[in-house]
Structure formats: structure tokens, C-alpha cells
Amino acid sequence: MKRIVVFTLMLAFLNCNTQVPKEFPKDALEDTFIALDGNLIALKTILEAHKGKTVFIDIWASWCGDCLRGMPKVKALQKVHDDVVFVFLSLDRGQEAWKRGIKKHDVQGEHYYMDKGKKGTFADFVQIDWIPRYMVVDTKGKIKLFKAVEADDKRIKQTLQ
């Protein structure tokens, strides 16, 4: 009985102290990705290019069944929210697979390859435990939605409105 009480208290303590980040830390902003043209680009540069606009981030891979099942829902969001910038960060196993996946699935938006995979500072910050992973960054560069794993998550629609 004592163990159950201690476990319950620990669980409650951990849940109460879990804060959802509202800003990217400096090291995550400085993490780099590979653009379609092969150049490295920092997350900070990507976000600064869209200052004043809402940015929807989709972390995906062309081999990921859940990512592909969510893609029609993402495309539906794009149709409704044409003022939102859609940034796709790929965890594909190679750049060729990433580029083939974009073309094969007709993924429209900005594309970057996470060459460090789940080991980069950005990936570490967002604690990728599942893909697809969706985030929304507001017009001031603040994180409005830190984590969603379903493209039809009601929080995405609420945040984009």
C-alpha cells in the first residue's frame, strides 16, 4: 500500500511540474537542417523568414504509415489555412528517400531534412517519441502548440484559427 501511495504522489508531482515550452531554446534554434538545394539552414533562419506568419511544423518520414495516413488531413488544413506556412521536417533514412517521398506524395510546403535524425538539439528539445509530430508557431515565433500526433487534433484547428 505504501508503494502505491508513493508512486501516485511521484506521478502527480511529475505531471504538475511538466510545463509545455512556449519558446525554442537557443541551441534548438541554432540546429541545422538540409534544404532541398543541399544547403544547411538553421531553424532560426527558417522561422525568421516567416516572421509575422503562423508556421505549421510537420515532422514526418516517407516510410511512416501514420505520417502518410495523416497527410490528406494536413493537405486539408493547407486548403483552409492558405495564410499559414507549412514546414516539413523529414526523418527519412536518407536524402534520396526524402526527396522521392515529397514527390510521390505531392507534399506541398517547405522541406528540410533532419540529417542528425533524433540526435540533434532540435529533436532533443521537442522530445520526438512518435511521428508524425505537429507543432504550431505563432506570428511572433512563440510555440502555440508544442505537440500533436494526429493531424485532425482539435487543438491544431483551434490554434490555426
Side-chain angles (χ1 to χ4, degrees), residues 84-127:
V84 173
V85 176
F86 285 78
V87 173
F88 296 88
L89 304 177
S90 174
L91 282 170
D92 266 291
R93 294 183 177 114
Q95 290 186 51
E96 291 307 313
W98 162 53
K99 291 175 183 178
R100 276 192 312 272
I102 293 167
K103 188 173 184 176
K104 178 179 180 182
H105 303 290
D106 191 31
V107 183
Q108 301 296 314
E110 289 191 19
H111 297 278
Y112 303 96
Y113 179 68
M114 297 176 65
D115 61 317
K116 299 174 202 104
K118 292 183 181 179
K119 300 196 185 296
T121 54
F122 170 79
D124 186 49
F125 166 68
V126 298
Q127 304 165 2

Side-chain angles (χ1 to χ4, degrees), residues 19-158:
Q19 293 185 1
V20 177
K22 298 293 180 196
E23 295 184 2
F24 290 100
K26 183 179 179 188
D27 59 343
L29 287 169
E30 292 174 354
D31 199 359
T32 57
F33 308 97
I34 298 175
L36 281 172
D37 64 8
N39 290 320
L40 287 178
I41 186 167
L43 177 63
K44 179 180 179 179
T45 304
I46 295 167
L47 295 176
E48 283 176 352
H50 303 296
K51 192 170 187 174
K53 292 191 172 216
T54 299
V55 178
F56 178 89
I57 299 173
D58 181 343
I59 303 169
W60 76 296
S62 65
W63 52 260
C64 167
D66 288 340
C67 300
L68 299 178
R69 281 187 289 281
M71 200 58 71
K73 297 171 188 172
V74 172
K75 290 178 180 185
L77 287 171
Q78 287 176 307
K79 287 181 182 176
V80 174
H81 301 284
D82 60 351
D83 58 328
V84 173
V85 176
F86 285 78
V87 173
F88 296 88
L89 304 177
S90 174
L91 282 170
D92 266 291
R93 294 183 177 114
Q95 290 186 51
E96 291 307 313
W98 162 53
K99 291 175 183 178
R100 276 192 312 272
I102 293 167
K103 188 173 184 176
K104 178 179 180 182
H105 303 290
D106 191 31
V107 183
Q108 301 296 314
E110 289 191 19
H111 297 278
Y112 303 96
Y113 179 68
M114 297 176 65
D115 61 317
K116 299 174 202 104
K118 292 183 181 179
K119 300 196 185 296
T121 54
F122 170 79
D124 186 49
F125 166 68
V126 298
Q127 304 165 2
I128 298 172
D129 57 356
W130 190 262
I131 57 173
R133 168 70 179 275
Y134 308 105
M135 301 176 71
V136 178
V137 180
D138 73 10
T139 58
K140 295 179 177 85
K142 305 290 184 196
I143 301 167
K144 293 295 282 185
L145 178 61
F146 184 69
K147 181 178 184 179
V149 296
E150 297 286 339
D152 57 358
D153 186 312
K154 66 181 179 183
R155 296 173 303 150
I156 292 174
K157 291 178 183 178
Q158 291 168 347

